[in-house]
Every structure is written in C-alpha cells, then in structure tokens.
Amino acid sequence: MRIGVCPGSFDPVTNGHLDIFSRASKMFDVLIVAVFHNPNKKPLFTMEERVEMLNLATYDIPNIKVDSFSGLLNDYVRRQNSSFIVRGLRALSDFEYEFQRALLIKKIDPAIETIFMMTSSEYSFISSSGIKELAKFGGPITGLVPVCLEDKIIQRISES
C-alpha cells in the first residue's frame, strides 16, 4: 500500500490546500493529511479544531485520513508506514524553504522522499495567514476557503 503524508499547520485550511490534497490523493492509496503542532506558532484554531475542519473539508476525498502529530516529521512518516512527504508550493519562496527542509529530512532518513506539488494558479496567492488577515478586516473569504468552514473562520476571527 502506497501511503503519502501531507503535513502542515492548516490554520485554517484553504482551497489551495484542498487543491493539493485532491491531486495528491490520486498518487497514493492513502493520503494522510497531518496537522503538525508547531510550538513556535500561536494558532487561531486548536489542533482538535483543525483536525475537525480538515475532516469536514475533505469528506468527499475517500482515501484521505486526517491526523495530528508533534515531534519530528520523519519519525511520524515512518510510524505511518510511509516514505513519502507531499508539500504544496505556491511560489519560489515556498520552494526555497521547503527544499531546505526536504534536504534535512533526506540527510536524517535517506529513504524518505519529498514530493513537491505546485498549487493550481487560481490558488497561488492564497495563504492561511492571508485568509486570517482578510477576515480580520471584514474582507470576503468566499472562494478562498471551503464553503463549509467560512462561518466558523469568520466567527473565530471576530472573537479574537
């Protein structure tokens, strides 16, 4: 069985993320979308909320499993019986950052491969931080995030 792991903070999940999940899911028997606990970030949503939101947003992609983890990514990938990491890229700056991370993981565990996928051009400008900023100032997020999560995102932004 071919298992891929697509890690990220997904705070919140965007349509750009969904684009990568949908396309990557066709490459694997199972694609694990894994919410990473990053101690250096202050997320808007809890880990449990992000897992729940991802489950809602990916309900129609049958081979996606949503999970969460903390610690080293290569250890998590191995625990999932995988050797593939899927990373979505929007711009050259994403590539530089992700390339360095992929090389570090390759140094630690040479059997793990990182697959870079370019997001579709219609989503290349979307980021979770941009969504939060747009919503904070009352801007429209329709078409940028899954419809089923729009109200939840707007409500959380208004509470913070």
Side-chain angles (χ1 to χ4, degrees), residues 1-13:
M1 179 178 295
R2 189 169 291 238
I3 300 170
V5 175
C6 188
S9 56
F10 310 118
D11 185 45
V13 62

Side-chain angles (χ1 to χ4, degrees), residues 4-58:
V5 175
C6 188
S9 56
F10 310 118
D11 185 45
V13 62
T14 70
N15 286 346
H17 293 131
L18 290 182
D19 172 56
I20 296 295
F21 303 158
S22 176
R23 292 172 31 230
S25 72
K26 296 172 184 156
M27 300 167 59
F28 300 97
D29 298 307
V30 176
L31 179 67
I32 301 170
V33 176
V35 179
F36 170 64
H37 169 69
N38 186 341
N40 298 322
K41 288 188 176 181
K42 285 287 225 175
L44 182 63
F45 294 95
T46 67
M47 176 107 52
E48 295 77 16
E49 288 172 322
R50 288 178 279 157
V51 167
E52 177 187 335
M53 291 166 67
L54 281 161
N55 276 316
L56 288 171
T58 62

Side-chain angles (χ1 to χ4, degrees), residues 42-105:
K42 285 287 225 175
L44 182 63
F45 294 95
T46 67
M47 176 107 52
E48 295 77 16
E49 288 172 322
R50 288 178 279 157
V51 167
E52 177 187 335
M53 291 166 67
L54 281 161
N55 276 316
L56 288 171
T58 62
Y59 77 93
D60 62 339
I61 308 173
N63 63 327
I64 283 187
K65 173 187 167 192
V66 178
D67 196 14
S68 62
F69 74 101
S70 60
L72 293 175
L73 176 57
N74 61 300
D75 290 341
Y76 177 78
V77 169
R78 286 295 181 196
R79 285 194 307 271
Q80 301 307 310
N81 297 312
S82 179
S83 56
F84 299 100
I85 297 169
V86 176
R87 291 294 200 173
L89 303 175
R90 293 169 295 159
L92 186 59
S93 57
D94 286 349
F95 175 76
E96 290 177 30
Y97 175 76
E98 295 296 348
F99 184 67
Q100 287 179 344
R101 293 178 68 183
L103 288 176
L104 181 59
I105 288 173

Side-chain angles (χ1 to χ4, degrees), residues 125-152:
F125 64 93
I126 300 174
S127 67
S128 293
S129 57
I131 296 297
K132 290 185 277 194
E133 186 175 334
L134 188 61
K136 181 178 181 179
F137 293 104
I141 60 172
T142 299
L144 306 178
V145 298
V147 173
C148 62
L149 302 179
E150 282 181 33
D151 291 341
K152 185 175 186 80

